[in-house]
Amino acid sequence: MKTDDVRSEFLDFFASKGARIAPSDSLVPHNDPTLLFTGAGMNQFKDQFMGLRIEYRSATTCQKCIRTGDIMNVGVTPAHHTFFEMLGNFSFGGYFKREAITWAWEFLTGNMAMDPERLQVSVHDPDDEAYGIWEKEVGLSPDRIHRLGDHDNFWPADAPKLGPNGPCGPCSEIFYDRGAEYGCGRPDCGITCDCRRWVEIWNLVFTQFNRQDGGELVPLPQKNIDTGMGLERMAACLQNAPTNMDIDIFQPIVRAIAGVAGKTYGSVRGDDVLMRRIADHARAVTFCIADGVLPANSHRGYVLKRLLRRAVVDGRGLGIRKSFLHELVPVVGEAMAKPYPDVKNRAAAIADAVRLEEEKFFSTLDRGLERIDQAIAAVRAAGGTVFPGAAAFELYDTYGFPYELAEEVVGREGLAVDRSGFDSAMAEAKARAREGAKMKGDVFAKGPLQDVKKITSGTEFLGYGTLAAEGKALAVVKGGALVDEAPAGSQVTVVLDRTPFYGESGGQVGDSGLIVGPDNLVIRVEDTQKLDGIFLHGGEVESGVLKPGTTVNGRVDGGRRLDIMRNHTTVHLLHYALRQVLGDKAEQKGSYVGPDRLRFDFQHASALTLQEKEEIEEIVNRRILENAPVVTRIMPVDEARKAGAIALFGEKYGDEVRVLFTGDYSTELCGGTHMRETAPIGSFRLVSEESISAGVRRIEGVTGMAAFRLSRDQGELLGDIGRELRTPPREARERIRQMAEHLRELEKTLAKMRLAAARGRAAGAETKAVGDATLLAADVGDSGAKEVGELAREALARLGDSGIAILAGRDGDKAALAVAVGKALAPARIKAGDIVKRLSAIVGGGGGGRPDFAQAGGREPGKIGELVAEAPDLVRDLLG
């Protein structure tokens, strides 16, 4: 079964049981220190578990998660990931143990067609209720139900004794036997064995207590269910894949990596480990960026950077000497397109972000490897065997070199890394950071910035009034150090005494452009940063030689700056509109202002309605068309507050502040660059609105020509739709609604006709006497599991207590089988589950159920005729 089908089957199954399908949310911070961030899940439902808020009684989700606590196992073991999906079903005072257990069994043996004989379970040692349900209602023999203690069968593990406080409870885990070929061969091999044979596929947590200080387990106001099934692990079992990385959604990525490396997957174990790990990290990186995370030096951005750089390092291990990771983004997007179409649609933009960080690290990696060689040579020259921890930290701190890579490279040379020395250097750096001595930035984190501060106290910014200005090069940094000159081809950071280039701050990106000087000197500025009042112009010397003291002319890319200004002024208009529509609680939580788009994060508990989004967009555009003046004034911060100025998220302010007045309706503190009036913005289009964390929403939008192109493209699309529907574009929405309603009615009619036809086939089928039993075995045609089950019960009602009804139907490319046995026969003489187990094998499936009723699915509906023909002899054999 395909992984996408497992996901959809799970959600549809629990939806059919009355659960609400909760949307897959963006990756957000998680309270589990090893589960760094996750989408919708138990965190989302904490209030409902506690009985504090009940919006609905049951839910089901597929949540995106990232875990890096055991990153060293990724690619090495069969089932470790950094990015994975977790299927779950939840009940908040609704159903409890009986339904959770019997539905889990029904889903696994029915929908997933798993062989019941391959399944075993564990329960919390004192949990007689769960044990009894597995034994008496599901029908498992005692040797397949295992009682385990707090560590294995309580969630969180060891919570009664060790905590943490909060919702908790006993759990029951379901294990799948992959077969002796995956095992250790020991006679006592079972579910507690750490070999690869037994795989835990589902954990059913009965959340019924609130742990409090002292380990007291206080019953919750209601009994709850919280389950988790690893999607990739489940798919590996169903596809009989050797590892999770060998399932259908991973293999295209692995093949793409093998193609870039010129390797054959499956030939060399060491290469296979690297390819699997890169495939995993490529998925994690892609989904992080898709959810708005960008490489950074802290929090989620650092997790992303670490994963990306580790994948680059592993690529080097495969002999890949170029940027390649960004090429995997569209492969990931295609593999995950069905559940996450947005990742595929945004693959180009995501790939660009990956490529930029990847190329940046490539030069860092080369310099780091050179530094390692130098340090190794020094250790050997001194007759030592231990690589200094301080040198390892220098690689990490100055070159962004992962500690694990240093350990690996040094290990190949027969040396050990002084980990305690590395940790000490790290602790000292953190202490300096707390004291404020350690500065931000990669290149300027240590010596260079301090040296520059001896030359200048800050850069004079001229960019509010001009895009070109003369200045003097005060310092040139290359390779992490001040240099006397930098020839063509050098990657440099230039400090000028005065500049028209805006340095990134307050959410606005830095300017780009050119710095030109005498003797054909040209530096292409790719980005401008600002640290402690000093503007850092990063780029490449394209021609000439750059030296400190040279008089140069800075020229900002005017078109790019204008697009940035349009977006920045619009951010202020958007903030105003949000507060008008949602109220003053819609506080800003973050922003991004670039030349291509704007992003605005704000506090709000729920998704915006269509009406709210339309009203916000209309307010912004109305204010744009009014052509209100945009004026800035420098004033004392207290005076600004009295004027009602709103401080922007993440900005630091001194005694005097820059206040931006837009018309007579918006007053905010802002150090960015802006339009002088609103009309030249053109127009604003709201592109998307989504959740990024609990209580925080994100809007993305475009202005100027980007807004024009979006409107034009959408107009063309609407025209195409109108032509296809043969209706005027303005009537397309109503026409689509009518067609959808008509389609639903047709589907209902078709379902009734299918059921009626199947009922007719069942009623007209010939019964046979098999011993003292009356058997009805029939192919009822196009029918799914629900219909076949209903018809089997109806048939048994006609046959009586000595009857056996065996009905099979086709549901697309699947077979559905149901068996109902009269109470005079079951369970003493024959069991429905035994019949299902034997017959379902004919159609390539499996299943189970109660002694009087059982169902199964299969992958070969073409063999239903053979199944029906075999039924009489099988019943005869089982009856003896």
Side-chain angles (χ1 to χ4, degrees):
M1 180 178 288
K2 294 181 179 179
T3 306
D4 287 341
D5 293 337
V6 177
R7 185 191 298 103
S8 59
E9 285 269 354
F10 185 94
L11 297 175
D12 290 344
F13 176 85
F14 283 100
S16 73
K17 303 295 186 183
R20 171 176 172 176
I21 300 179
S24 178
D25 211 340
S26 298
L27 293 166
V28 299
H30 197 277
N31 59 5
D32 179 347
T34 64
L35 192 62
L36 293 174
F37 33 102
T38 176
M42 180 176 174
N43 242 21
Q44 177 187 8
F45 302 128
K46 184 176 180 180
D47 285 350
Q48 290 176 254
F49 280 132
M50 298 290 290
L52 302 177
R53 174 173 57 90
I54 299 296
E55 297 177 359
Y56 37 87
R57 285 292 178 184
S58 62
T60 183
T61 68
C62 178
Q63 62 191 43
K64 298 174 290 184
C65 307
I66 284 189
R67 185 195 303 271
T68 60
D70 42 18
I71 191 173
M72 297 302 293
N73 292 322
V74 175
V76 179
T77 68
H80 278 93
H81 299 279
T82 56
F83 173 86
F84 58 99
E85 295 177 80
M86 182 67 72
L87 300 169
N89 58 288
F90 308 85
S91 171
F92 319 110
Y95 65 83
F96 196 49
K97 291 182 184 179
R98 181 181 180 277
E99 292 85 352
I101 290 173
T102 57
W103 288 351
W105 188 258
E106 179 183 350
F107 178 79
L108 293 175
T109 60
N111 297 65
M112 296 294 99
M114 281 186 147
D115 182 356
E117 296 300 319
R118 288 193 169 208
L119 299 173
Q120 293 194 17
V121 302
S122 66
V123 298
H124 192 226
D125 189 28
D127 195 347
D128 293 330
E129 181 184 3
Y131 189 102
I133 295 170
W134 281 117
E135 181 183 29
K136 297 175 183 177
E137 299 195 38
V138 174
L140 290 185
S141 56
D143 62 327
R144 293 168 62 193
I145 311 171
H146 308 270
R147 292 181 183 267
L148 301 176
D150 290 350
H151 183 73
D152 296 296
N153 277 84
F154 203 96
W155 188 259
D158 296 315
K161 294 181 180 179
L162 304 180
N165 291 343
C168 61
C171 63
S172 180
E173 296 179 329
I174 305 174
F175 296 82
Y176 180 77
D177 182 5
R178 302 208 68 188
E181 63 271 25
Y182 289 95
C184 57
R186 296 198 301 265
D188 60 344
C189 180
I191 66 168
T192 58
C193 185
D194 58 3
C195 71
R196 296 170 53 193
R197 176 171 179 173
W198 292 94
V199 179
E200 180 218 327
I201 57 174
W202 207 343
N203 187 12
L204 316 178
V205 182
F206 313 125
T207 312
Q208 59 192 95
F209 301 113
N210 180 25
R211 187 193 189 277
Q212 298 183 354
D213 291 339
E216 181 182 8
L217 299 179
V218 178
L220 289 169
Q222 60 192 21
K223 295 179 178 180
N224 310 297
I225 293 295
D226 168 20
T227 84
M229 173 194 287
L231 175 62
E232 294 83 356
R233 186 177 296 190
M234 184 66 179
C237 292
L238 293 171
Q239 296 173 24
N240 196 26
T243 75
N244 290 10
M245 307 291 186
D246 293 289
I247 63 176
D248 54 350
I249 60 174
F250 266 108
Q251 276 302 290
I253 310 171
V254 173
R255 287 195 296 268
I257 297 164
V260 174
K263 305 280 186 179
T264 301
Y265 180 71
S267 298
V268 180
R269 185 182 183 278
D271 289 347
D272 291 351
V273 169
L274 295 178
M275 284 188 267
R276 289 195 291 263
R277 193 155 62 205
I278 293 171
D280 170 85
H281 290 7
R283 286 209 320 162
V285 166
T286 298
F287 274 82
C288 280
I289 296 176
D291 278 349
V293 183
L294 291 174
N297 291 325
S298 62
H299 307 300
R300 296 189 297 168
Y302 180 74
V303 175
L304 169 60
K305 177 181 283 189
R306 180 187 176 196
L307 292 171
L308 191 153
R309 293 187 174 193
R310 186 173 180 80
V312 171
V313 169
D314 285 340
R316 181 64 60 90
L318 290 172
I320 302 174
R321 312 291 296 187
K322 65 170 187 173
S323 299
F324 73 99
L325 196 61
H326 64 280
E327 298 175 5
L328 302 179
V329 172
V331 183
V332 173
E334 188 65 39
M336 306 295 289
K338 187 173 181 180
Y340 305 107
D342 186 56
V343 175
K344 179 181 177 181
N345 296 338
R346 297 174 57 198
I350 296 169
D352 282 344
V354 173
R355 179 181 54 78
L356 289 173
E357 179 66 18
E358 190 178 14
E359 291 175 350
K360 176 182 176 183
F361 181 55
F362 247 87
S363 60
T364 305
L365 180 60
D366 288 334
R367 294 199 303 273
L369 289 171
E370 291 172 6
R371 182 68 186 91
I372 273 194
D373 290 340
Q374 294 169 3
I376 289 175
V379 171
R380 284 180 170 164
T385 60
V386 178
F387 189 90
F393 180 75
E394 179 190 355
L395 290 164
Y396 167 84
D397 189 46
T398 304
Y399 302 103
F401 216 76
Y403 171 84
E404 294 83 0
L405 176 61
E407 194 173 43
E408 181 181 336
V409 173
V410 170
R412 288 200 295 263
E413 297 296 327
L415 302 178
V417 178
D418 176 15
R419 181 60 194 251
S420 62
F422 176 89
D423 291 340
S424 295
M426 174 72 81
E428 290 174 7
K430 288 182 177 179
R432 289 194 301 272
R434 286 192 295 268
E435 295 165 0
K438 187 177 186 298
M439 303 301 171
K440 299 185 296 180
D442 289 327
V443 177
F444 284 77
K446 300 178 80 173
L449 183 58
Q450 299 305 316
D451 293 337
V452 170
K453 283 186 172 183
K454 296 174 183 178
I455 302 170
T456 178
S457 60
T459 306
E460 181 184 358
F461 178 58
L462 308 173
Y464 291 132
T466 182
L467 296 179
E470 186 178 90
K472 180 183 291 186
L474 300 179
V476 179
V477 178
K478 175 186 173 186
L482 289 175
V483 295
D484 294 331
E485 63 177 39
S490 301
Q491 292 289 329
V492 297
T493 299
V494 188
V495 177
L496 305 178
D497 62 341
R498 54 209 303 266
T499 182
F501 289 84
Y502 182 84
E504 180 174 335
S505 61
Q508 178 176 327
V509 300
D511 281 333
S512 61
L514 297 175
I515 295 176
V516 299
D519 300 322
N520 197 32
L521 174 63
V522 178
I523 302 106
R524 182 165 298 279
V525 178
E526 298 166 354
D527 185 29
T528 307
Q529 296 291 316
K530 176 181 163 185
L531 292 177
D532 293 351
I534 299 173
F535 285 61
L536 311 173
H537 309 78
E540 181 180 353
V541 180
E542 292 192 341
S543 62
V545 178
L546 174 62
K547 298 179 181 180
T550 303
T551 298
V552 296
N553 193 280
R555 302 173 183 173
V556 175
D557 182 336
R560 182 175 181 273
R561 165 74 84 81
L562 184 58
D563 287 337
I564 293 170
M565 290 162 60
R566 286 191 178 99
N567 285 333
H568 202 158
T569 301
T570 303
V571 160
H572 289 246
L573 298 180
L574 177 59
H575 193 188
Y576 160 77
L578 283 165
R579 293 166 73 92
Q580 290 293 302
V581 175
L582 305 178
D584 291 343
K585 290 183 179 180
E587 296 178 353
Q588 180 174 350
K589 293 298 180 183
S591 68
Y592 167 84
V593 179
D596 57 334
R597 61 191 170 92
L598 63 88
R599 186 176 72 217
F600 190 84
D601 302 338
F602 60 99
Q603 183 174 319
H604 193 58
S606 59
L608 300 186
T609 65
L610 177 61
Q611 180 180 349
E612 287 171 336
K613 286 188 283 189
E614 289 177 346
E615 187 176 356
I616 290 164
E617 191 176 56
E618 183 173 330
I619 289 173
V620 173
N621 281 290
R622 189 185 307 122
R623 291 302 188 184
I624 289 173
L625 292 174
E626 287 174 356
N627 198 26
V630 181
V631 180
T632 58
R633 285 176 54 198
I634 305 297
M635 62 177 65
V637 66
D638 291 338
E639 184 181 337
R641 290 195 180 102
K642 291 177 182 177
I646 300 171
L648 292 182
F649 175 87
E651 191 80 329
K652 296 180 180 179
Y653 303 102
D655 294 335
E656 287 195 327
V657 292
R658 187 169 184 262
V659 184
L660 186 81
F661 298 89
T662 307
D664 58 0
Y665 49 83
S666 174
T667 306
E668 301 193 26
L669 306 186
C670 185
T673 59
H674 288 272
M675 307 298 290
R676 294 185 177 180
E677 53 274 319
T678 59
I681 293 172
S683 64
F684 165 72
R685 292 298 309 276
L686 196 159
V687 175
S688 65
E689 186 270 339
E690 62 183 356
S691 169
I692 60 169
S693 66
V696 179
R697 309 293 300 179
R698 169 172 291 169
I699 282 179
E700 291 200 5
V702 291
T703 64
M705 289 302 297
F708 165 75
R709 286 190 288 268
L710 177 62
S711 298
R712 180 190 61 196
D713 293 345
Q714 290 180 341
E716 291 176 354
L717 176 61
L718 186 58
D720 291 342
I721 292 172
R723 283 187 288 274
E724 290 293 328
L725 297 177
R726 298 181 181 179
T727 190
R730 63 180 179 277
E731 299 175 7
R733 179 185 297 176
E734 177 61 21
R735 178 62 176 150
I736 292 172
R737 189 197 64 76
Q738 292 173 355
M739 293 175 67
E741 181 63 29
H742 182 58
L743 180 60
R744 284 191 290 269
E745 292 301 320
L746 290 176
E747 288 173 342
K748 291 178 183 178
T749 301
L750 179 60
K752 291 178 181 178
M753 293 174 63
R754 285 177 53 184
L755 181 60
R759 184 173 281 121
R761 293 188 187 95
E766 181 182 354
T767 59
K768 296 181 179 180
V770 180
D772 56 352
T774 303
L775 171 66
L776 172 66
D779 176 356
V780 295
D782 293 334
S783 300
K786 181 179 179 181
E787 291 84 1
V788 171
E790 181 180 337
L791 294 174
R793 290 188 176 93
E794 290 178 1
L796 181 63
R798 296 194 300 271
L799 296 174
D801 291 346
S802 296
I804 300 175
I806 301 175
L807 300 182
R810 295 167 183 79
D811 188 9
D813 59 354
K814 299 177 184 177
L817 171 65
V819 176
V821 179
K823 59 185 178 181
L825 302 174
R829 298 187 58 196
I830 193 169
K831 296 179 181 179
D834 293 339
I835 300 174
V836 157
K837 179 181 176 182
R838 297 273 291 274
L839 290 179
S840 63
I842 297 174
V843 291
R850 302 189 306 273
D852 61 333
F853 182 81
Q855 287 189 274
R859 298 181 296 275
E860 302 178 56
K863 294 186 177 181
I864 287 178
E866 181 182 341
L867 179 155
V868 172
E870 290 285 337
D873 291 338
L874 172 62
V875 170
R876 189 174 292 108
D877 290 344
L878 292 175
L879 285 172

